[in-house]
Amino acid sequence: MNIGIRKGVVMPAVKKSEKENSFYDNAIISDKVKDRSNDPYFVKKAEEAKAFLHKHPLPEHLKK
């Protein structure tokens, strides 16, 4: 069964969580995920979102 794993890609170590909530029976928890905060794609998207919200602010009654 091919689930889309490419050769040479290292998957983070994962462990299955204990059953705490029936909605999350098959949850996988991992402490080893990559930090994407400086990824150029996400930096660009965050800047575009800030510019959009600056140009089109939310109404005051929708802000918390």
Side-chain angles (χ1 to χ4, degrees), residues 4-49:
I5 298 175
R6 292 174 278 165
K7 187 175 182 177
V9 174
V10 178
M11 298 295 291
V14 294
K15 61 182 178 180
K16 290 194 176 190
S17 67
E18 296 178 15
K19 285 189 176 183
E20 293 179 7
N21 187 341
S22 62
F23 185 74
Y24 298 106
D25 284 343
N26 296 325
I28 297 174
I29 300 172
S30 175
D31 292 332
K32 299 180 180 184
V33 293
K34 292 183 179 180
D35 179 18
R36 304 275 188 204
S37 62
N38 293 325
D39 187 319
Y41 175 80
F42 293 108
V43 169
K44 179 182 173 189
K45 290 294 181 183
E47 289 172 355
E48 289 174 357

Side-chain angles (χ1 to χ4, degrees), residues 43-56:
V43 169
K44 179 182 173 189
K45 290 294 181 183
E47 289 172 355
E48 289 174 357
K50 286 179 186 177
F52 179 84
L53 288 174
H54 183 69
K55 187 175 179 180
H56 307 284

